[in-house]
Amino acid sequence: MTDYSISTLAVPGGTGSASLVRDPLLSGLDAGAMRFAFDLDFSWCYPGGPLASRPAQTDPVREQVVYDLCERSDGAYTNADYFEAPTAAYAGGGFDFGATDIRNPWGVRGPADAWNPIHAADNAYFMVCAYFKMPTQAKWKPSGGFVHMFSSQTANGYYTQPEPLSFAQIDGQIRATRQRNTVGAARDSLSLTPTSAHYDKLCQLSYWRNADGQGFRMKSADGTVSTTMPVGDENVEDYTGLAPVWGDARTAVNGAYSSEDALATDVRLYRGFMEDLNASGRDPETVLDADWTRVQARIAASGGTIFV
């Protein structure tokens, strides 16, 4: 568990601000530039509450609050509310979804206004990051069906409804899909093929879109795979009011997972964030690399007991 010291908390806030921030990731950002950020190892974020009476970090219950490191708008642990769907376990400083065998939803849900200024901008420039312990190679989704690892649409997805971005395991790969419109399901897709450097490892999974183009990257301590493509057309769909989920947001497709799906969701989720790059003006890879370095330092300081 990381409970940052007062000296660590004493990081400058936004431009011209004397306020402190909860995480160095937020240093120098103006209010609203980071749309949501969480760290499940940090007890202020989960389970939260007054330090003197804060409960232990234990298995979450449905809709339990996950406090926003930005202190802007909180999120929640989400899982299905039917058939007594199994909850995640708390392990290694994060949520372990290895027992999940009920379809949709699962993960950490951000606030419903997270996408709004990104959609409202002339250019939707943003970044999404997630820290997952990935499935083993034997459990990775091998077929044409997909298992979401980031999404916002609660119905079927970008083919028929607004969905700004999704990550999914599919065909033995991990794919980032950015919708442009649902007429003909126009979309941009960036795919990565994991290797032995990523299976069963902590990975920083990230997507960004800015004036230079789109990027998708999976980084572990043992290797990085990445791909890029041009910036592409703007999404013409209205995706305001959709809450991002680091996991699967869908609630309309119920029932038991297939055996493949159940294996592919054997992941742990530790940390994630969404940044409005129009508002922050930051270089995505610079931000991501600095955050990765800080996380690795925390792991080392813990003796290898967190983010594992």
Side-chain angles (χ1 to χ4, degrees), residues 237-292:
E237 301 296 329
D238 183 357
Y239 50 87
T240 56
L242 291 181
V245 174
W246 282 257
D248 193 339
R250 295 173 299 162
T251 59
V253 185
N254 299 341
Y257 270 177
S258 71
S259 57
E260 282 186 1
D261 295 339
L263 292 172
T265 51
D266 186 6
V267 300
R268 288 185 181 179
L269 172 63
Y270 300 103
R271 177 176 170 88
F273 58 88
M274 176 193 291
E275 183 169 334
D276 181 347
L277 294 177
N278 268 320
S280 73
R282 300 202 291 188
D283 175 71
E285 290 188 273
T286 299
V287 173
L288 292 165
D289 288 343
D291 197 64
W292 175 262

Side-chain angles (χ1 to χ4, degrees), residues 34-239:
M34 187 66 71
R35 304 305 299 157
F36 180 65
F38 67 93
D39 190 306
L40 300 173
D41 175 60
F42 181 19
S43 71
W44 181 92
C45 176
Y46 177 83
L51 181 62
S53 58
R54 189 174 298 164
Q57 291 168 308
T58 57
D59 298 351
V61 297
R62 188 176 301 121
E63 296 301 311
Q64 186 166 354
V65 175
V66 174
Y67 291 92
D68 183 10
L69 297 177
C70 314
E71 301 184 69
R72 193 191 68 80
S73 186
D74 295 327
Y77 164 69
T78 182
N79 79 318
D81 59 0
Y82 40 81
F83 308 132
E84 295 301 320
T87 190
Y90 189 81
F95 293 164
D96 188 319
F97 295 94
T100 301
D101 59 6
I102 299 293
R103 183 183 297 279
N104 315 325
W106 64 271
V108 170
R109 185 182 67 243
D113 67 348
W115 285 109
N116 292 9
I118 296 168
H119 175 270
D122 291 338
N123 299 295
Y125 295 159
F126 63 95
M127 169 169 52
V128 171
C129 177
Y131 284 81
F132 283 107
K133 181 181 181 182
M134 295 297 188
T136 64
Q137 183 174 6
K139 293 181 177 181
W140 202 280
K141 181 72 172 176
S143 71
F146 56 85
V147 168
H148 276 150
M149 297 183 75
F150 176 85
S151 56
S152 302
Q153 177 55 246
T154 60
N156 290 325
Y158 57 78
Y159 281 102
T160 54
Q161 290 89 25
E163 169 64 284
L165 179 72
S166 62
F167 300 161
Q169 293 179 48
I170 182 171
D171 288 334
Q173 298 179 315
I174 185 87
R175 183 175 299 169
T177 301
R178 185 187 71 91
Q179 182 190 65
R180 288 185 274 123
N181 67 67
T182 60
V183 178
R187 60 196 183 276
D188 294 333
S189 294
L190 298 91
S191 296
L192 302 173
T193 301
T195 70
S196 58
H198 308 102
Y199 297 123
D200 202 31
K201 303 286 180 64
L202 171 70
C203 290
Q204 182 198 61
L205 186 64
S206 56
Y207 166 93
W208 63 89
R209 180 176 186 260
N210 61 13
D212 295 327
Q214 300 178 71
F216 189 39
R217 187 176 85 166
M218 181 164 56
K219 180 182 183 69
S220 78
D222 298 319
T224 300
V225 288
S226 63
T227 187
T228 61
M229 69 183 302
V231 64
D233 297 332
E234 295 301 317
N235 188 342
V236 301
E237 301 296 329
D238 183 357
Y239 50 87

